[in-house]
């Protein structure tokens, strides 16, 4: 009888744990994170302002949800091992901030690290996983980004699994974002551990750095799906290191990749152009499509590539990419684009006459009198089309 009771308890813990994980991040998480723009310059005031700006700028309405404080909010542990927030920068404590973010109808995220110290040498989570998870749950944390600095010879899967167990035991649904930079190939094991995992080192706000990340995502499409996403790192849109054309490309590619969309710019001071990029709901809809398929590259002609993303309801998106430094004229055959598939035998079901084709940056349906079209593509630009069922 005792054994039976134990079995029920264990089974119910397991069942709750899986249910918790799988009910979260059904589509790639969207939000804002402090690191790319503000680095260690975080404070209660800044985070509150960003939460306000998230609402006032239209970002919330476009689907952005999580406000995440990255590194540097923490300074020490007390005699009981409890993590302590910087009192000068966060005078009312983290729970107060979480409550404020929640009062705006948003969710609240925080950062820690699987090693003994964070990347900025603040106290890490190693050895305190269950305690920290309980603290985060008490504060009302909804999202945890967990880094990989100062992890010495720790095993990545074991370390991240310990924190996952801590989060499950704490009982609050918390999106678990692994930031292990792809070193131990998390796409092969992290589906059971967290909801998203970084696949590369840190993004830099430059064209070549951004496009280099794209190249590392090429073979990872099959590992992503609802509740478990490849994370090519946060967005740099609006931080000033790329042209508007390049930011449009960056944003479009991240959406084609079903990447988590964590804006990393100053939401209070956004140019109209940057706002239009980050809140292009037609492009965002590709990222957030419920089928949850990551896009794949179907044509690689050196500087010219075509990426395809399968969408729910047998719809598809196609992204033409000019990676080159020169303008290009490309002849596009929409019939070929629509039928492009990572599975040759599945392509027959798509008939162009069943679809209209929409340009998602021009916000216009194309008037096609034949299947082909000559398109001029500026350097570093994209064209993104959606095949929409008639
Ligand atoms: C690592 C992560 C970054 C950021 C910094 C903070 O470099 O990959 O995204 O969180 O640490 O120190």
């Amino acid at each position: 009888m005792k054994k039976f009771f134990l079995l029920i308890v264990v089974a119910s813990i397991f069942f709750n744990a899986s249910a918790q994980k799988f009910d979260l991040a059904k589509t790639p998480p969207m939000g804002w994170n402090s690191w790319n723009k503000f680095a260690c310059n975080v404070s209660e005031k800044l985070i509150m302002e960003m939460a306000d700006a998230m609402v006032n700028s239209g970002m919330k309405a476009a689907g952005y949800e999580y406000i995440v404080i990255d590194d540097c909010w923490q300074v020490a542990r007390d005699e009981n091992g409890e993590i302590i927030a910087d009192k000068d920068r966060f005078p009312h404590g983290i729970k107060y901030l979480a409550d404020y973010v929640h009062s705006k109808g948003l969710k609240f995220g925080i950062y820690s690290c699987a090693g003994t110290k964070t990347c900025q040498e603040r106290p890490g989570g190693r050895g305190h996983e269950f305690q920290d998870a309980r603290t985060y749950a008490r504060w009302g944390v909804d999202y945890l980004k967990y880094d990989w600095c100062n992890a010495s010879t720790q095993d990545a899967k074991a370390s991240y699994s310990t924190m996952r167990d801590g989060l499950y035991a704490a009982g609050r649904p918390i999106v678990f974002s692994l930031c292990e930079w792809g070193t131990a190939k998390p796409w092969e094991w992290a589906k059971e551990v967290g909801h998203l995992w970084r696949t590369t080192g840190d993004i830099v706000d430059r064209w070549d750095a951004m496009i280099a990340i794209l190249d590392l995502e090429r073979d990872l499409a099959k590992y992503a799906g609802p509740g478990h996403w490849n994370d090519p790192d946060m967005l740099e849109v609006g931080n000033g290191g790329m042209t508007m054309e390049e930011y449009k490309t960056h944003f479009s590619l991240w959406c084609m990749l079903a990447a988590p969309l964590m804006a990393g710019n100053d939401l209070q001071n956004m140019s109209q152009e940057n706002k239009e990029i980050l809140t292009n709901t037609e492009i965002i809809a590709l990222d957030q499509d419920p089928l949850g398929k990551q896009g794949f590259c179907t044509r690689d002609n050196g500087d010219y590539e075509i990426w395809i993303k399968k969408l729910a309801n047998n719809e598809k998106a196609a992204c033409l990419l000019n990676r080159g430094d020169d303008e290009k004229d490309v002849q596009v055959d929409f019939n070929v684009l629509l039928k492009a598939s990572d599975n040759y035998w599945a392509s027959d079901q798509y008939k162009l006459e069943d679809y209209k084709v929409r340009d998602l940056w021009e916000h216009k349906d194309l008037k096609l009198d034949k299947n082909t079209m000559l398109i001029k593509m500026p350097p570093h630009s994209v064209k993104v089309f959606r095949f929409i069922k008639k």
Side-chain angles (χ1 to χ4, degrees):
M1 185 64 195
K2 250 189 192 161
K3 267 191 190 154
F4 180 65
F5 181 67
L6 194 69
L7 193 73
I8 301 274
V9 170
V10 170
S12 75
I13 288 172
F14 183 74
F15 177 77
N16 284 336
S18 330
Q20 244 180 52
K21 171 169 156 52
F22 291 116
D23 281 337
L24 294 171
K26 282 259 173 36
T27 60
M30 293 176 66
W32 175 88
N33 173 299
S34 53
W35 183 254
N36 282 356
K37 172 75 185 173
F38 297 100
C40 271
N41 206 8
V42 287
S43 65
E44 174 183 295
K45 182 169 173 289
L46 176 85
I47 301 300
M48 289 167 87
E49 284 171 356
M50 287 305 136
D52 293 346
M54 183 82 110
V55 177
N56 300 335
S57 63
M59 293 279 284
K60 181 185 176 213
Y64 296 85
E65 190 178 19
Y66 294 93
I67 296 276
V68 183
I69 322 181
D70 208 280
D71 210 346
C72 301
W73 60 269
Q74 63 288 68
V75 285
R77 289 192 182 273
D78 72 10
E79 65 278 13
N80 301 315
E82 277 292 312
I83 191 82
I84 303 175
D86 183 330
K87 287 207 168 55
D88 297 331
R89 287 173 174 266
F90 298 91
H92 298 92
I94 302 296
K95 183 170 186 330
Y96 171 86
L97 199 47
D99 288 348
Y100 184 80
V101 170
H102 291 152
S103 77
K104 297 274 156 182
L106 299 166
K107 292 190 170 145
F108 179 73
I110 211 164
Y111 162 103
S112 186
C113 182
T116 48
K117 287 181 177 169
T118 72
C119 295
Q120 302 304 314
E121 306 286 308
R122 306 302 175 97
R126 176 80 169 141
H128 294 271
E129 293 85 351
F130 281 65
Q131 181 177 23
D132 284 350
R134 282 195 300 274
T135 305
Y136 300 152
R138 203 168 59 241
W139 286 345
V141 167
D142 306 298
Y143 183 110
L144 174 65
K145 172 174 169 182
Y146 214 49
D147 217 334
W148 190 236
C149 280
N150 303 300
S152 177
T153 57
Q154 282 173 234
D155 177 76
K157 184 176 178 188
S159 301
Y160 282 98
S161 299
T162 304
M163 191 65 212
R164 176 222 31 214
D165 293 345
L167 293 172
Y168 284 174
R172 184 176 170 89
I174 294 180
V175 171
F176 190 29
S177 157
L178 281 61
C179 180
E180 181 271 355
W181 320 311
T183 321
K185 299 193 174 152
W187 45 89
E188 289 179 354
W189 49 265
K191 184 179 170 190
E192 307 305 326
V193 180
H195 304 94
L196 57 152
W197 50 82
R198 280 274 296 278
T199 51
T200 71
D202 289 6
I203 194 168
V204 178
D205 186 16
R206 273 198 334 253
W207 167 260
D208 55 344
M210 182 279 289
I211 214 76
I213 290 185
L214 174 73
D215 291 337
L216 295 167
E217 308 307 301
R218 247 162 240 275
D219 300 324
L220 302 183
K222 67 173 184 224
Y223 299 105
H228 50 278
W229 308 102
N230 291 308
D231 176 7
D233 205 358
M234 302 172 292
L235 297 163
E236 290 285 11
V237 177
N239 282 337
M242 293 187 231
T243 65
M244 284 303 156
E245 199 68 66
E246 291 171 343
Y247 280 143
K248 268 163 106 172
T249 299
H250 171 25
F251 193 65
S252 305
L253 291 171
W254 261 231
C255 290
M256 291 298 287
L257 292 171
L261 297 180
M262 302 304 275
N265 59 319
D266 181 353
L267 301 180
Q268 285 200 108
N269 296 296
M270 291 168 87
S271 70
Q272 188 55 28
E273 277 170 306
N274 282 319
K275 204 182 286 184
E276 278 168 20
I277 295 174
L278 285 167
T279 61
N280 182 338
T281 49
E282 294 198 86
I283 297 284
I284 292 172
L286 307 182
D287 183 79
Q288 296 291 303
D289 183 77
L291 191 62
K293 289 272 186 205
Q294 179 171 325
F296 59 93
C297 183
T298 182
R299 172 93 54 91
D300 178 355
N301 287 2
D303 278 348
Y304 176 57
E305 290 176 3
I306 301 175
W307 287 74
I308 301 288
K309 188 179 194 291
K310 289 187 185 171
L311 306 171
N313 191 30
N314 278 331
E315 297 195 352
K316 273 189 186 178
C319 175
L320 319 180
L321 166 64
N322 177 8
R323 301 169 59 126
D325 297 336
D326 302 314
E327 186 174 274
K328 267 189 192 16
D329 287 330
V330 295
Q331 184 72 29
V332 177
D333 185 328
F334 288 99
N335 203 30
V336 171
L337 283 190
L338 176 64
K339 288 185 190 297
S341 173
D342 48 356
N343 170 2
Y344 177 79
W345 300 106
S347 62
D348 272 358
Q349 59 187 299
Y350 299 98
K351 294 190 172 47
L352 191 55
E353 62 266 28
D354 297 338
Y355 293 85
K356 60 178 184 171
V357 184
R358 189 165 172 81
D359 182 325
L360 303 186
W361 284 110
E362 295 294 323
H363 303 292
K364 272 186 201 140
D365 294 346
L366 301 189
K367 291 192 179 61
L368 289 176
D369 37 11
K370 47 184 188 182
N371 292 350
T372 58
M373 192 185 243
L374 188 69
I375 296 177
K376 224 177 234 329
M377 296 191 64
H380 298 183
S381 73
V382 285
K383 270 288 191 187
V384 188
F385 301 108
R386 179 173 184 144
F387 293 91
I388 302 173
K389 272 277 178 69
K390 278 181 187 161

